[in-house]
C-alpha cells in the first residue's frame, strides 16, 4: 500500500513542512500555488524540506520563474505531462482557468483542454489513475459566492481517473465522490491542512483522509 501526502496552496508558507513530513508519506503530491507570486528561491526552500519523492504542478499564483524553477527542482513537474508511478498513473495540469485577479499563471479552458487531451492520450491506464490539478473540475469543490469557478475542461476528462486532487478554492476543502471518482481539495497547506491518500490493491481501493497538523 502506497501512502501519499497531498498538499496545496502553500503560498510561500513552508514552516509546517516538517510537521507534514512527520505523517511519514511515501510520496508527496502538490496541487499548485507553491509560492505567492514567488521566486526560484522559494521553490528551493520548499523542496529542501521534503525528503521523499514529490510530484507537483504550479498554481495560478506561481509566476513563470517558479514554473521554470520547478522544472529544475527535486520535484517532478507534472504540468502538461503524464508519468507512471508503479501501479499509479499520474497526469498533471497546473495554473487555472481565468480569474478576476489577473494572476500570473492563467490558462483558457481551450489551453487546458489541449494539455489534457495530450496527457490523457499518452496515459497508460493503471490500477489507480490520478489527476493532480490546481483548478477544480467545474461543479465540484469550486464554489465562490454561489458561483462555480472550476474548469469545464478538467470536468470533461474526470471520468478517465479514479482520483482527482485539486485546490485553488481555499474555502472548498473537502472530499466528494461522483460515479466512483473521488475528488479532494486538501485545503490550504499554509494553514496546516493536507490530505493523506492510501492506495490499496484494487482500482477503487483509495482511502482519502483530511488532516490538519
Amino acid at each position: 500500500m502506497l501512502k501519499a501526502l497531498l498538499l496545496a496552496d502553500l503560498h510561500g508558507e513552508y514552516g509546517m513542512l516538517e510537521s507534514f513530513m512527520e505523517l511519514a508519506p511515501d510520496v508527496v503530491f502538490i496541487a499548485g500555488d507553491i509560492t505567492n507570486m514567488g521566486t526560484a528561491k522559494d521553490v528551493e526552500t520548499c523542496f529542501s524540506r521534503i525528503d521523499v519523492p514529490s510530484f507537483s504542478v504550479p498554481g495560478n499564483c506561481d509566476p513563470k520563474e517558479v514554473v521554470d524553477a520547478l522544472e529544475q527542482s527535486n520535484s517532478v513537474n507534472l504540468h502538461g505531462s503524464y508519468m507512471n508511478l508503479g501501479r499509479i498513473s499520474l497526469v498533471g495540469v497546473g495554473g487555472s482557468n481565468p480569474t478576476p485577479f489577473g494572476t500570473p499563471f492563467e490558462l483558457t479552458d481551450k489551453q487546458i483542454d489541449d494539455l489534457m487531451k495530450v496527457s490523457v492520450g499518452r496515459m497508460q491506464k493503471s490500477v489507480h489513475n490520478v489527476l493532480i490539478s490546481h483548478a477544480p473540475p467545474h461543479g465540484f469543490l469550486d464554489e465562490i459566492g454561489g458561483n462555480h469557478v472550476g474548469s469545464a475542461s478538467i470536468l470533461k476528462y474526470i471520468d478517465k481517473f479514479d482520483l482527482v486532487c485539486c485546490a485553488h478554492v481555499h474555502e472548498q476543502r473537502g472530499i466528494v465522490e461522483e460515479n466512483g471518482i473521488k475528488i479532494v481539495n486538501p485545503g490550504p497547506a499554509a494553514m496546516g491542512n493536507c490530505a493523506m491518500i492510501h492506495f490499496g490493491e484494487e482500482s477503487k481501493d483509495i482511502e482519502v483522509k483530511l488532516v490538519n497538523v
Side-chain angles (χ1 to χ4, degrees):
M1 179 183 286
L2 186 83
K3 183 165 68 169
L5 166 66
L6 172 62
L7 300 174
D9 294 309
L10 290 119
H11 289 285
E13 300 289 337
Y14 308 130
M16 294 184 187
L17 279 172
E18 284 80 2
S19 297
F20 288 132
M21 296 312 297
E22 287 174 7
L23 297 168
D26 300 308
V27 297
V28 174
F29 299 155
I30 301 184
D33 281 355
I34 297 163
T35 75
N36 193 42
M37 321 296 177
T39 66
K41 183 67 176 173
D42 295 317
V43 175
E44 183 182 329
T45 301
C46 176
F47 291 106
S48 70
R49 302 184 183 191
I50 295 174
D51 56 5
V52 297
S54 63
F55 304 85
S56 309
V57 298
N60 61 299
C61 292
D62 293 320
K64 185 176 188 303
E65 178 184 347
V66 168
V67 179
D68 292 345
L70 186 59
E71 192 66 42
Q72 304 301 320
S73 74
N74 293 332
S75 188
V76 176
N77 181 5
L78 279 175
H79 173 62
S81 67
Y82 149 79
M83 74 167 297
N84 197 274
L85 182 64
R87 296 157 60 85
I88 301 170
S89 287
L90 293 173
V91 166
V93 61
S96 76
N97 46 309
T99 77
F101 309 110
T103 48
F105 193 13
E106 298 183 6
L107 302 167
T108 65
D109 256 317
K110 169 72 164 61
Q111 289 172 311
I112 294 172
D113 188 287
D114 289 344
L115 288 168
M116 290 294 296
K117 186 184 300 180
V118 171
S119 298
V120 169
R122 291 175 177 164
M123 181 176 77
Q124 297 174 336
K125 294 281 277 186
S126 191
V127 176
H128 304 298
N129 302 287
V130 179
L131 173 64
I132 302 176
S133 167
H134 183 61
H138 185 82
F140 296 96
L141 302 175
D142 73 333
E143 198 169 325
I144 298 177
N147 297 313
H148 292 286
V149 300
S151 167
S153 291
I154 291 169
L155 176 65
K156 176 179 170 181
Y157 290 95
I158 65 167
D159 64 349
K160 306 295 184 187
F161 300 96
D162 306 302
L163 174 68
V164 176
C165 302
C166 62
H168 192 45
V169 183
H170 295 190
E171 303 82 3
Q172 290 288 300
R173 182 182 197 228
I175 304 164
V176 296
E177 190 162 331
E178 176 77 6
N179 297 327
I181 303 158
K182 288 185 171 71
I183 304 159
V184 55
N185 176 340
M191 299 174 67
N193 298 306
C194 66
M196 292 302 298
I197 304 166
H198 295 259
F199 293 97
E201 294 299 317
E202 305 300 325
S203 65
K204 297 297 180 183
D205 184 10
I206 302 174
E207 178 188 326
V208 184
K209 183 180 180 182
L210 297 176
V211 178
N212 186 273
V213 299

